[in-house]
Amino acid sequence: MSHHALPTVRRPLAALLALALLAGLAGCKDKTPADAGAGAASNLADAAKPAAMEEKAKEAARAQLPKGDPATPAGNYLDVDSGNQIMFAYLSIAGMPIDYNEVAGSYSRDYMATSDEFKKSDLLKALKVKIDAGVAQAAQQRYVKLEVADSVGKYEFDKKGFPLDSSVWEKGAYRYFNDNSGYKIGFNNGAQFRYLNVPDEDKARLIEGLRSKYATMRTVVYGYVQDADVSKKVVQAQILKIELTDKNGNILATQTAQ
């Protein structure tokens, strides 16, 4: 069987260039501002996907953490008023080997200030006993309460409540004590407590009256130690309830975790 070549069709170069130009124009169109905006939004959305996925993973992990019981009697909570207590809580739950030299430096000013290595060694032996005891107690006592010095803000009618200090509810926020500020405490479910809800108008009027007169009130946070952020030395706790009390300790309002 013989093969016959197809006849070659010759076209002038100018005609070919014109056809190519027309084809290129047919395949292109001007981008409108809406198209550009959509493209930018798409790029931003793509960039945000990893962060959103990471946050979802964190939320899923938090959901699996052990939870406290809001019905736990107030007497079962440990009063936290020192950074050393937060340090012990952190060490008890972080699951990391204790670096006694580093911890002793945070815990004892005498140890930090001593330059005599023999005295330092003797101090460390004594401090190890105290540190181990503090960590052991913290491991058995996950229910904690602490007072937030900053009281409530002015009443907001649309929220039917009083704004709480941002260290309670703001994402990534934490609290610490000056005696050992290297260790901090934050709250996993703080978003539930941006406002102290007081739906009863009479109670709200009473609190607002005290607030407007700068009367002493105390915000007490009841929490349950759940986890630790080892990258920041932050104890992560679940807020079980928040109480607002007057200067005599009388409870003015209570809000419990949902």
Side-chain angles (χ1 to χ4, degrees):
M1 182 180 293
S2 61
H3 295 275
H4 298 280
L6 293 174
T8 303
V9 178
R10 298 182 180 275
R11 294 182 180 179
L13 180 60
L16 290 172
L17 289 173
L19 286 170
L21 181 60
L22 288 171
L25 290 173
C28 300
K29 66 175 183 177
D30 292 336
K31 287 188 177 181
T32 65
D35 292 331
S42 176
N43 291 337
L44 286 172
D46 289 342
K49 279 179 183 177
M53 289 175 66
E54 183 181 355
E55 186 55 35
K56 283 185 179 180
K58 286 181 180 179
E59 287 178 8
R62 283 194 291 266
Q64 299 301 315
L65 293 173
K67 293 179 173 58
D69 182 1
T72 300
N76 290 7
Y77 287 80
L78 175 70
D79 279 297
V80 175
D81 55 11
S82 165
N84 292 328
Q85 292 170 295
I86 295 176
M87 178 182 73
F88 292 143
Y90 170 84
L91 295 173
S92 74
I93 204 167
M96 304 283 286
I98 298 175
D99 183 336
Y100 287 98
N101 182 57
E102 179 185 341
V103 172
S106 298
Y107 186 45
S108 168
R109 290 181 181 177
D110 289 341
Y111 181 82
M112 190 187 301
T114 300
S115 57
D116 184 315
E117 291 301 317
F118 283 96
K119 288 183 179 179
K120 215 174 184 73
S121 178
D122 292 338
L123 272 173
L124 187 58
K125 289 176 185 176
L127 288 171
K128 275 185 178 180
V129 176
K130 292 183 178 181
I131 291 167
D132 287 340
V135 172
Q137 181 188 12
Q140 298 297 318
Q141 179 64 311
R142 288 202 185 189
Y143 288 94
V144 297
K145 67 176 181 177
L146 63 155
E147 187 176 304
V148 178
D150 307 292
S151 198
V152 294
K154 63 182 180 180
Y155 183 77
E156 295 190 15
F157 287 92
D158 59 331
K159 303 294 183 182
K160 292 188 180 297
F162 297 85
L164 289 169
D165 186 71
S166 62
S167 65
V168 172
W169 57 263
E170 190 171 28
K171 185 177 178 180
Y174 49 77
R175 296 190 67 84
Y176 61 90
F177 293 90
N178 290 329
D179 64 331
N180 190 344
S181 60
Y183 296 85
K184 310 165 187 71
I185 185 167
F187 305 105
N188 282 326
N189 61 333
Q192 294 182 25
F193 293 90
R194 183 162 186 170
Y195 295 90
L196 179 65
N197 299 124
V198 186
D200 185 304
E201 185 174 324
D202 290 337
K203 287 184 179 179
R205 283 179 178 274
L206 172 62
I207 295 168
E208 179 63 11
L210 292 170
R211 186 204 65 79
S212 65
K213 296 173 184 173
Y214 303 99
T216 299
M217 291 188 288
R218 297 181 176 88
T219 303
V220 184
V221 180
Y222 291 78
Y224 179 80
V225 173
Q226 291 183 299
D227 196 14
D229 182 342
V230 295
S231 66
K232 300 176 182 176
K233 293 184 179 178
V234 176
V235 172
Q236 297 289 352
Q238 170 199 14
I239 300 176
L240 297 176
K241 67 177 178 180
I242 287 183
E243 287 181 350
L244 182 68
T245 69
D246 65 15
K247 63 180 181 180
N248 297 319
N250 298 311
I251 299 173
L252 301 170
T254 302
Q255 184 167 325
T256 305
Q258 299 176 358

